[in-house]
Amino acid sequence: MTPAIEATGLGKTYGRRRGGGWALRECSFRVPTGRICALVGPNGAGKSTLLAHAAGLLRPTEGTVRTLGASPAEARSRTAYIAQDKPLLPQLSVQDTLRMGRELNPGCWDAAAADRIVREGNLAPHARVRSLSGGQRTRLALALAFGKRPELMLLDEPMADLDPLARHQLMGALMAESAEHGTTIVMSSHVLAELEGSCDYLLLVDGGRVRLGGETEDILAAHTLLTGPVRDLAPHTVVESRTTGRQLTALVRREGPVRDDWQTMEPSLEELLLAHLRSPGAPALLTPSAAGAGAGE
């Protein structure tokens, strides 16, 4: 099956005018269709740059990226992208913004889906965009994305301006959209605890590279929290370890059986991600579905 996103050796540098350095470097990965993918990583890791490439708004310095089996430009009519600043025309009203979305997407506009997102946020139809709060603008931007009925949604920190109840409601709407229409959703977020029950796929980007990629369940199953006496952890691959007195706690990728005097536990997604973020030298892990050309462990 054609991946929703496939990157091969993707790299982007902004040169001296933007402070230099690589925002992305040697990124190779796949995101299968029909997944809800969490894109996580620290500030400046390259998440926004990666999404902008998939949306066709940036040209790679090196490597390639394809969306829905085509170039991002060719797939633009089948892709919805919401940037962090959620650019909307401030002089338009809510209803005029939705009317513009319908006119820009003839033949595929789902007015009911767009109206539902607006209605649940109690947005007045005649309110100007310039008068809306940050959370209300987020809802209106998401209404445009839902109304387009895309095959791929690219969402850059979509929940940052929303209160917990609104985040819960919209996450439910995204899950229903993916389940009912097979829409692939790639969403960057810093709210790690909210991702575990909603995202079935994961990309962890740090230092401009993909360090974890694949099915959330498979990545969690590949890791174990060990607690026991202080000793060498070989042959297991250690992601992070800490010692308290005579006791050692470590997140590892198991390589063979665990000694009887060790306690084992599966980490939560938040524990796993935080451990990898605290340990940038830990080896990368991509499951077979995520390993694009040139990618691997």
Side-chain angles (χ1 to χ4, degrees):
M1 184 177 293
T2 301
I5 304 175
E6 181 169 20
T8 304
L10 179 63
K12 179 65 175 179
T13 181
Y14 290 108
R16 295 180 181 178
R17 294 184 181 180
R18 296 283 295 274
W22 290 87
L24 294 173
R25 192 74 194 270
E26 298 174 358
C27 286
S28 298
F29 65 91
R30 295 188 182 105
V31 176
T33 56
R35 302 302 186 112
I36 302 178
C37 176
L39 178 62
V40 299
N43 290 332
K47 304 186 300 296
S48 295
T49 301
L50 192 156
L51 289 173
H53 276 87
L57 301 180
L58 291 176
R59 179 175 296 177
T61 303
E62 62 182 21
T64 62
V65 61
R66 293 179 66 79
T67 54
L68 303 172
S71 71
E74 293 169 333
R76 191 167 292 154
S77 64
R78 298 182 286 155
T79 304
Y81 169 65
I82 299 180
Q84 282 190 36
D85 56 359
K86 303 170 184 69
L88 298 166
L89 296 176
Q91 70 274 19
L92 293 186
S93 66
V94 170
Q95 65 180 10
D96 287 340
T97 300
L98 295 182
R99 185 180 298 114
M100 179 187 67
R102 184 186 68 230
E103 292 175 356
L104 291 175
N105 298 279
C108 65
W109 183 253
D110 188 336
D115 290 342
R116 183 179 69 252
I117 299 298
V118 167
R119 186 173 60 254
E120 290 174 352
N122 296 317
L123 273 66
H126 297 289
R128 301 285 180 182
V129 169
R130 66 167 63 94
S131 70
L132 301 179
S133 68
Q136 289 173 325
R137 293 187 188 192
T138 294
R139 276 195 174 271
L140 185 55
L142 284 167
L144 291 175
F146 275 80
K148 187 176 181 179
R149 187 58 68 211
E151 297 177 40
L152 172 64
M153 281 192 189
L154 304 169
L155 310 177
D156 196 357
E157 292 287 345
M159 310 295 184
D161 296 323
L162 300 177
D163 60 62
L165 177 59
R167 287 203 302 267
H168 178 77
Q169 291 173 338
L170 286 173
M171 186 61 74
L174 290 170
M175 294 173 68
E177 172 75 13
S178 181
E180 183 177 355
H181 300 283
T183 308
T184 305
I185 299 168
V186 181
M187 175 179 62
S188 69
S189 177
H190 284 111
V191 188
L192 302 181
E194 291 186 350
L195 300 176
E196 190 155 8
S198 54
C199 297
D200 57 8
Y201 214 77
L202 175 69
L203 289 177
L204 170 62
V205 180
D206 194 7
R209 290 176 168 84
V210 176
R211 293 183 46 213
L212 289 176
E215 295 82 359
T216 304
E217 288 186 358
D218 291 347
I219 291 175
L220 284 169
H223 293 78
T224 302
L225 278 172
L226 298 179
T227 304
V230 178
R231 61 161 54 93
D232 183 14
L233 292 169
H236 309 299
T237 300
V238 179
V239 175
E240 181 187 50
S241 66
R242 59 183 182 274
T243 302
T244 305
R246 297 182 179 181
Q247 183 167 279
L248 178 69
T249 300
L251 178 71
V252 304
R253 294 180 199 150
R254 292 173 57 170
E255 303 289 345
V258 175
R259 295 173 61 101
D260 293 339
D261 54 353
W262 282 86
Q263 295 181 349
T264 64
M265 183 184 303
E266 183 175 293
S268 69
L269 182 60
E270 185 174 15
E271 288 172 329
L272 184 149
L273 292 173
L274 288 174
H276 274 274
L277 290 172
R278 289 190 295 258
S279 306
L285 173 65
L286 276 73
T287 69
S289 69
E297 291 189 28

